[in-house]
Amino acid sequence: MYQIIDGKKIAQEIKEELREKVAAWKEQGKHFCLAVIQVGNDPASSVYVGNKKKACAYIGIDSLSYELSEETSQQELLELVEKLNVDDKVNGILVQLPLPKQIDEHKIIQAIAPDKDVDGFHEKNVGALCVGSKGYVSCTPLGIIQLLKRSKVEIEGKNCVVIGRSNIVGKPMALLLLRENGTVTVCHSRTQNIKEITKQADILIVAVGKPQFIDDSYVKEGAVVIDVGIHRDANNKLCGDVDFEKVAPHTSAITPVPGGVGPMTIAMLMYNCVQNAM
Ligand code: NAP
């Protein structure tokens, strides 16, 4: 029988731990504030931003909300980021992605002060992860490491395969698994004989961005499978990059969608905000 890795429960545990710490630190006069910027009113972004603000309120972090119009220019957004960079009351800055097409996302991310970049997307933080020094780490992969550790999944010495090499999931995921002494392989759209590689995985992390792409033919018997994907299926039901029904019986542990990786991303954003204020 396989274990369902309960991301909702683990995320709640982390939020409770943070809430207690924040309350204690506030008594010592410390202050926590996250600035959240949304440009335009993409419905999915509005849901994510709303959830982030709710999590801040729960933990005791103040949130400053900036809702800018879809027509905002790159210069206007850069000016706001600059203002927040030098505002001592603000510990963390989050610009919700994607941004409208007139704005260069890379330019905006690089404009955020690295010590306020709670998403961990700035090149300085990515570089720090690469060389093993202190810095902010992208929340989704950071959350996956917590899911594995708190579910007592050993990473050290294990064959870890990551499908996907995006800057926000696949690449930092591979670096974090390496930091935990896993033996790491990264697959992508040009990988040949991908099943031969994924069938070697003790831990398979799927961030391919394609609904129910991974079935049991990709998975070694008894592997741990982490599904990063979020999609709507033909019946408008949430599903992941993994075909859960087909894959789960062949695993020792697996994350569901919803209730797996998703809740961890917000919990780790809160973790990053709190680290920043310390
Ligand atoms: P992405 O930027 O689209 O990257 C997808 C990766 O998959 C790319 O590296 C791509 O390879 C690779 N790929 C595509 N087709 C492939 C194939 N047939 N075989 C092997 N590799 C293939 O996506 P992302 O931002 O990393 O996100 C991945 C998924 O996670 C999405 O469903 C996204 O919605 C979800 N997500 C969830 C959370 C959460 O909090 N739960 C957070 C972030 C993302 P190339 O590089 O060669 O193109």
Side-chain angles (χ1 to χ4, degrees):
M1 189 55 194
Y2 59 89
Q3 175 199 352
I4 292 188
I5 298 178
D6 188 344
K8 212 169 156 191
K9 182 164 153 260
I10 296 172
Q12 189 58 32
E13 277 168 23
I14 291 171
K15 285 196 277 184
E16 290 303 336
E17 291 165 14
L18 292 173
R19 188 171 141 111
E20 274 176 33
K21 280 187 186 154
V22 165
W25 286 329
K26 273 184 163 175
E27 276 179 20
Q28 295 168 24
K30 293 208 164 86
H31 177 75
F32 301 85
C33 177
L34 172 69
V36 182
I37 305 172
Q38 183 181 357
V39 185
N41 44 18
D42 171 62
S45 291
S46 300
V47 171
Y48 291 137
V49 164
N51 287 341
K52 287 167 187 175
K53 288 196 281 197
K54 230 189 278 169
C56 281
Y58 183 77
I59 285 162
I61 299 171
D62 293 337
S63 60
L64 285 178
S65 189
Y66 295 87
E67 286 159 24
L68 310 183
S69 83
E70 185 80 29
E71 287 74 39
T72 302
S73 71
Q74 180 165 296
Q75 190 53 32
E76 284 167 323
L77 183 54
L78 282 171
E79 280 166 17
L80 174 57
V81 169
E82 283 305 328
K83 193 181 98 184
L84 296 169
N85 280 344
V86 295
D87 185 339
D88 290 341
K89 291 190 299 299
V90 173
N91 316 109
I93 302 170
L94 184 149
V95 179
Q96 184 65 43
L97 303 179
L99 291 169
K101 56 182 178 321
Q102 72 275 17
I103 301 177
D104 179 344
E105 281 184 3
H106 182 75
K107 272 223 170 84
I108 301 299
I109 291 167
Q110 299 319 309
I112 298 172
D115 65 342
K116 296 190 179 186
D117 166 42
V118 284
D119 261 334
F121 295 164
H122 192 284
E123 283 172 2
K124 192 164 176 215
N125 286 319
V126 177
L129 174 61
C130 251
V131 296
S133 52
K134 210 164 169 285
Y136 290 101
V137 177
S138 179
C139 303
T140 302
L142 195 60
I144 292 171
I145 295 292
Q146 281 300 310
L147 276 183
L148 293 170
K149 287 190 170 174
R150 290 178 186 238
S151 306
K152 308 272 179 285
V153 175
E154 178 91 32
I155 303 171
E156 182 160 330
K158 295 290 190 280
N159 276 339
C160 305
V161 176
V162 181
I163 314 183
R165 57 173 167 178
S166 69
N167 288 339
I168 62 168
V169 187
K171 281 183 203 154
M173 186 73 253
L175 289 165
L176 283 174
L177 290 164
L178 197 57
R179 192 164 87 177
E180 297 296 330
N181 297 317
T183 302
V184 184
T185 309
V186 180
C187 299
H188 47 78
S189 66
R190 315 287 171 88
T191 301
Q192 293 183 359
N193 304 322
I194 190 167
K195 289 185 187 178
E196 279 175 25
I197 299 167
T198 59
K199 285 204 101 150
Q200 300 294 319
D202 302 309
I203 300 172
L204 180 63
I205 314 273
V206 187
V208 74
K210 297 199 157 123
Q212 300 183 315
F213 180 78
I214 297 295
D215 64 16
D216 49 326
S217 65
Y218 286 81
V219 179
K220 178 171 91 169
E221 209 60 39
V224 174
V225 175
I226 305 291
D227 186 354
V228 186
I230 312 177
H231 314 275
R232 296 252 167 213
D233 69 11
N235 303 316
N236 207 30
K237 242 183 86 190
L238 284 174
C239 70
D241 288 348
V242 174
D243 186 330
F244 186 90
E245 298 305 323
K246 285 189 184 153
V247 170
H250 299 277
T251 67
S252 56
I254 184 167
T255 54
V257 178
V261 173
M264 293 301 290
T265 300
I266 290 187
M268 298 322 287
L269 173 69
M270 297 299 108
Y271 171 87
N272 278 353
C273 292
V274 170
Q275 298 314 303
N276 180 297
M278 296 314 300

